[in-house]
Amino acid sequence: MPNSPSKESHFVVSAGAHIHSGESVPKIMWTVFLALLPAGACGVIVFGFAALKVMLISVASCLITEALIQKLSHKKISIHDGSAALTGLLLAYNLPSGVPLWIPVIGSIFAIAVCKQAFGGLGANIFNPALAARAFLLVSWPKYMTSWPKPFNVDGVTSATPLMMMKEAHVFNISQMGVSYMDLFMGVRGGCIGEVCIFALIIGAIYLLWKRYIWYQTPLAFIFTTGILSWLFGAQGFMTGDFLFSILSGGLILGAFFMATDYVTAPLTKRGRLVFGVACGGLTFIIRKFGGYPEGVSYAILMMNAAVPLIDRYVRPRRYGTQIGTDARAK
C-alpha cells in the first residue's frame, strides 16, 4: 500500500528554534547560593562559630550523599550544578545553631536520598528537599529542633523565639518580649540560623528579583496574606494583631523568597504563583494560631507543594488562537 508508513520511515521530533538566554542550572543555583550568604554571615555573627559548623556540615553532607547515590546508581555525578549545595545551605538555615552535629548529617541524607534522588533527581522531586528534611527532623527530634541558643554576646534578649513567646507564654506585646522591630529586622533574636536577619535576606531577595531568577507574585502574596490575617484575627480579638511582627518574626521571609519560589516545586504560571502564595500565607496563619508549633511556614509550603499539579492544571494560560473555555468544552 503506497500510503502506509514503511519500516524505513523516520520521524524526527525536535523543539523549535529558540534563542538561548545564557542561563543554566548551575548558574542559577550558585547565584541563589551566593544571594543567601549574607544571611548566613549574619547568622554566624548572631549565634557564633557553632552556626558556621552547622552550615559547613550540612552542605558537605548533601554533596557527599548526592555523589554517593549517583555513583552507586551509575549516573553522572552532578554535584557541581549547585543544587545539592543549595539544599544543604537551606537546611542549615532552618536549624538552630545549637543542634548536635549529627542532626544536619541525618537531615542532609534524608533531603537528598529520600526527597530528591528517590524521585529521580533534580527536577523530579515533589517536595522542597530542605523543608521536607526540616519537617522530618522536627517530628523525630523536637527537643533539639526547638532549643534556641541565646544570641551571641547580646544582653537582655531571651533565647526563645518571639513566636514561641507569643504561643506558649502568651506575651502579645513586642515590648514585653525584650526585642524591638529593629531587633527583629537585624536578627537580634532567637531563631534558626538563616531566618533571623531579615535585612540580609531582603538584600539577597532583591538581587534575585533583579536577575529575574525568582518572581514577586509568590513572595508578596505569601507575606501579605500572613500579615493581614494575623492582624485581622489577633489573639486578643478582631483587628488586634501585629502586622509587622507577624512578618518579621519566624521564617516567613526566608520561606517566601527562597523556598516557596523553588522552580521544581512551585507553579508555572503567574496566576498559579499568586494562588500558591495566598494559600501558603493562609496555611501559615492557621498553623501559627491553631497548630501545636509556633511556626507554620515549612509545613505550609510543603502542603502547597503537593497541590502544585492541581494549581497548574486549573490555572493555565489560554492557548493561542482559542477563546476562554474552549479547552473545557472540547473535553
Side-chain angles (χ1 to χ4, degrees), residues 27-244:
K27 183 178 179 180
I28 293 173
M29 293 295 174
W30 286 115
T31 300
V32 176
F33 188 95
L34 292 175
L36 281 164
L37 290 183
C42 291
V44 174
I45 294 172
V46 172
F47 298 112
F49 183 67
L52 180 60
K53 289 194 292 184
V54 172
M55 287 189 284
L56 292 176
I57 289 175
S58 182
V59 172
S61 299
C62 280
L63 291 172
I64 293 171
T65 302
E66 179 145 303
L68 284 175
I69 292 176
Q70 291 177 335
K71 180 70 174 178
L72 293 173
S73 58
H74 305 289
K75 295 181 180 179
K76 180 182 178 182
I77 297 177
S78 59
I79 59 174
H80 65 278
D81 66 11
S83 61
L86 181 58
T87 296
L89 188 64
L90 286 172
L91 174 60
Y93 280 15
N94 282 277
L95 299 177
S97 61
V99 294
L101 296 182
W102 54 266
I103 287 284
V105 174
I106 293 179
S108 298
I109 294 172
F110 184 86
I112 298 299
V114 177
C115 304
K116 183 181 178 183
Q117 292 299 329
F119 285 94
L122 180 63
N125 52 287
I126 300 174
F127 302 103
N128 184 292
L131 286 181
R134 181 186 188 274
F136 164 73
L137 293 173
L138 186 58
V139 171
S140 302
W141 295 281
K143 178 181 177 180
Y144 295 124
M145 293 294 291
T146 55
S147 298
W148 313 103
K150 187 175 181 179
F152 189 65
N153 287 336
V154 179
D155 296 327
V157 178
T158 178
S159 60
T161 68
L163 286 176
M164 182 177 292
M165 284 187 280
M166 177 176 286
K167 184 80 172 180
E168 299 180 0
H170 303 289
V171 178
F172 306 117
N173 193 324
I174 189 173
S175 61
Q176 297 176 347
M177 299 180 184
V179 295
S180 64
Y181 292 118
M182 184 56 67
D183 290 333
L184 297 178
F185 188 69
M186 298 304 298
V188 187
R189 61 179 173 92
C192 295
I193 294 171
E195 72 181 19
V196 292
C197 188
I198 307 301
F199 174 69
L201 290 170
I202 289 178
I203 289 176
I206 290 174
Y207 177 70
L208 294 180
L209 287 168
W210 175 69
K211 292 284 290 183
R212 295 187 178 181
Y213 287 170
I214 62 174
W215 300 273
Y216 68 89
Q217 290 89 355
T218 295
L220 293 187
F222 196 163
I223 292 167
F224 279 99
T225 300
T226 304
I228 291 171
L229 290 176
S230 300
W231 169 66
L232 287 176
F233 304 102
Q236 296 176 299
F238 186 66
M239 296 178 63
T240 61
D242 192 327
F243 178 84
L244 198 57

